Amino acid sequence: LHITSIANPFNGVIHLGWLGLPATLLWIVGITNAMNLIDGLDGLASGVALIITGTLLCISLSGGKFGTAVVCTMLCGSTLGFLRYNFNPARIFMGDSGSMFLGFTLAIIALQSTEKSTTAVAILIPLLFFGLPIADMSMAVCRRLFSLGSRRVEAPHLRVFRADREHIHHKLIELGFSHRAAVLTLYTVTLGLSAFGFLLTVNRNEKLALFLAIAFLTAFALLLGFTVLQSRRRNNSTLPEPPPASGIIPEDVLKNRT
């Protein structure tokens, strides 16, 4: 199971050839880690996974992929049972192994649901379902790559793995949302994207898919640009002041230290 071709929204199909394997690995590893990164609030990752899995179940049934539908049904049931005890205030937690298992499984299911389908609509659908995790992961990677301050001596590829509290769900908490309100808000976003993706599956409107792809990429680029800009501003405001050239501590600083 791997990506062999993608649709050209204007005309025909683009065959990936040897790029199919790297593209498949990028998709699987990316979605696996994206689900892990949004697991920052009680019930967030499990609820988002439940919504995405339910939508993939509906698509599998409508497309006659009953084997995939069985896997989706099992994942829906287990995730729903887990969410009962994982929602705020959580009594159990999935940890990295749980969130990455969900991400890996959903990445494979999404590939199976759109396998052998090269229309622009089919290619766009998985991106819609995983719009929230993909956006959060991409912003986290860009934010950490351009993060300086005390980490400026680190190599960029090591800086990416530094945890922070700048994710979308953390920003909602900073805006005054309660824990549950932030989670329910992100549920609504995921539900809206999934519902729209399902409607595209039913209607197969190529022009609407192309318009949506342009809108999605534009919003995505704006989010990444805003993230990089905010990261640079934060770094410039937190960089320590250089010591005096003479090596003598100023009098006002010495008084404050005393």
Side-chain angles (χ1 to χ4, degrees):
L1 179 67
H2 62 282
I3 303 172
T4 57
S5 59
I6 59 176
N8 182 354
F10 302 99
N11 185 24
V13 176
I14 302 175
H15 296 282
L16 296 179
W18 63 270
L19 291 175
L21 180 59
T24 305
L25 290 176
L26 178 64
W27 169 258
I28 295 175
V29 174
I31 297 301
T32 300
N33 285 277
M35 292 301 298
N36 183 36
L37 287 176
I38 66 167
D39 186 26
L41 297 179
D42 294 346
L44 179 56
S46 53
V48 169
L50 176 63
I51 295 172
I52 296 175
T53 309
T55 311
L56 290 173
L57 172 61
C58 295
I59 292 177
S60 300
L61 291 175
S62 63
K65 297 180 180 292
F66 299 107
T68 305
V70 171
V71 178
C72 290
T73 303
M74 292 190 293
L75 194 60
C76 275
S78 58
T79 308
L80 182 61
F82 179 83
L83 182 60
R84 176 184 176 186
Y85 303 98
N86 184 238
F87 196 72
N88 181 260
R91 286 172 280 176
I92 56 176
F93 304 92
M94 67 173 65
D96 289 341
S97 60
S99 59
M100 296 181 82
F101 166 77
L102 285 177
F104 176 80
T105 308
L106 288 174
I108 297 299
I109 293 175
L111 286 180
Q112 289 180 333
S113 300
T114 58
E115 186 182 14
K116 298 179 181 179
S117 182
T118 56
T119 65
V121 175
I123 297 301
L124 181 63
I125 287 170
L127 295 179
L128 277 176
F129 295 158
F130 297 99
L132 175 63
I134 290 175
D136 184 64
M137 179 188 67
S138 302
M139 288 189 290
V141 171
C142 290
R143 180 175 63 247
R144 295 170 185 179
L145 282 176
F146 289 93
S147 177
L148 299 176
S150 60
R151 305 172 190 166
R152 64 191 314 166
V153 297
E154 289 183 328
H157 67 279
L158 296 177
R159 198 181 303 147
V160 172
F161 297 99
R162 288 282 187 174
D164 56 31
R165 295 186 60 83
E166 300 290 334
H167 293 280
I168 295 176
H169 44 273
H170 294 140
K171 292 300 182 181
L172 291 178
I173 298 294
E174 291 180 5
L175 289 174
F177 284 72
S178 66
H179 190 116
R180 292 191 174 188
V183 172
L184 292 175
T185 299
L186 296 178
Y187 282 178
T188 304
V189 172
T190 305
L191 184 61
L193 291 173
S194 299
F196 200 78
F198 180 73
L199 290 177
L200 278 177
T201 306
V202 175
N203 294 328
R204 294 283 174 176
N205 191 323
E206 299 287 339
K207 293 183 179 179
L208 181 59
L210 178 60
F211 171 78
L212 185 61
I214 295 174
F216 181 83
L217 292 175
T218 302
F220 194 65
L222 291 175
L223 280 174
L224 291 181
F226 177 76
T227 301
V228 173
L229 182 61
Q230 288 294 102
S231 178
R232 288 181 173 176
R233 287 180 177 177
R234 189 179 300 108
N235 292 328
N236 292 334
S237 62
T238 57
L239 285 176
E241 296 182 359
S246 61
I248 301 175
I249 301 178
E251 185 178 352
D252 56 343
V253 176
L254 183 60
K255 288 181 179 179
N256 292 334
R257 290 184 179 180
T258 304

